[in-house]
Amino acid sequence: MTLSTTDLDLERSWMAEAIRIATDSVRSGGGPFGAVVARDGDIVATGNNQVTATLDPTAHAEVTALRNACRELGTFSLAGCILVTSCEPCPMCLSSALWARFDRIVFAADRDDAAAGGFDDRAFYQLFEKNPAGTWPITMDRIEMPNRTEPFDTWLTKPDRIEY
């Protein structure tokens, strides 16, 4: 994708804001990550890492920003939006961004920069890339149940369901 000079300048300004948010987050007791959600040339929402502040391991900057954007826009779909984040998203944040249906993700620091800063997301990427589920550091077991598809069956017959 080739951006015009104007678009590139706009994205650089959003990235500068994401980096500022990340730096301020560290100063106020949060983690060193910041994110911005933009749409139609404007910032819709922001977020910073709040994992230790809220005791929530999912409160990464990207997830916080997308939650804020969904509330602001009144929708669970962020199609038409760009996620601008100070660092390459970890696998959880990348998955969240995919579920939110962002059009693009733009990041500055990468997983190697994060590792040098003490946040080794590479281990999670490697887990998904190279290891079958049976070798993960967490055990996953399936329990066979005769009614295992009941929630899905109920969903499929619900006439007023909201597709996502």
Side-chain angles (χ1 to χ4, degrees), residues 21 35-38 42-47 64-70 72:
I21 290 168
V36 167
V37 175
D42 295 314
I43 293 176
V44 173
T46 64
T64 301
L66 78 83
R67 287 175 179 162
N68 292 339
C70 288
E72 179 66 27

Side-chain angles (χ1 to χ4, degrees), residues 14-157:
W14 295 336
M15 184 60 72
E17 179 65 5
I19 292 170
R20 184 198 62 75
I21 290 168
T23 305
D24 287 351
S25 179
V26 172
R27 291 185 182 120
S28 64
F33 302 92
V36 167
V37 175
R39 183 176 77 174
D40 298 330
D42 295 314
I43 293 176
V44 173
T46 64
N48 69 296
N49 181 285
Q50 299 175 16
V51 170
T52 58
T54 62
L55 305 178
D56 179 354
T58 68
H60 290 200
E62 298 89 340
V63 172
T64 301
L66 78 83
R67 287 175 179 162
N68 292 339
C70 288
R71 277 192 293 277
E72 179 66 27
L73 297 173
T75 182
F76 58 85
S77 174
L78 296 176
C81 294
I82 299 171
L83 176 62
V84 181
T85 181
S86 63
C87 187
E88 179 181 13
C90 73
M92 178 188 70
C93 292
L94 178 57
S95 295
S96 297
L98 291 168
W99 274 110
R101 294 172 176 77
F102 281 100
D103 286 2
R104 286 180 63 223
I105 299 172
V106 180
F107 63 92
D110 65 15
R111 63 185 79 170
D112 296 320
D113 298 317
F119 294 86
D120 199 356
D121 296 347
R122 291 178 304 190
F124 294 112
Y125 275 104
Q126 290 168 353
L127 176 70
F128 295 125
E129 292 169 357
K130 298 180 181 177
N131 298 306
T135 64
W136 291 7
I138 187 169
T139 302
M140 288 179 47
D141 294 310
R142 180 176 181 187
I143 296 175
E144 187 59 46
M145 297 292 291
N147 64 338
R148 72 180 184 276
T149 64
E150 184 177 339
F152 299 115
D153 298 340
T154 304
W155 170 256
L156 290 171
T157 61

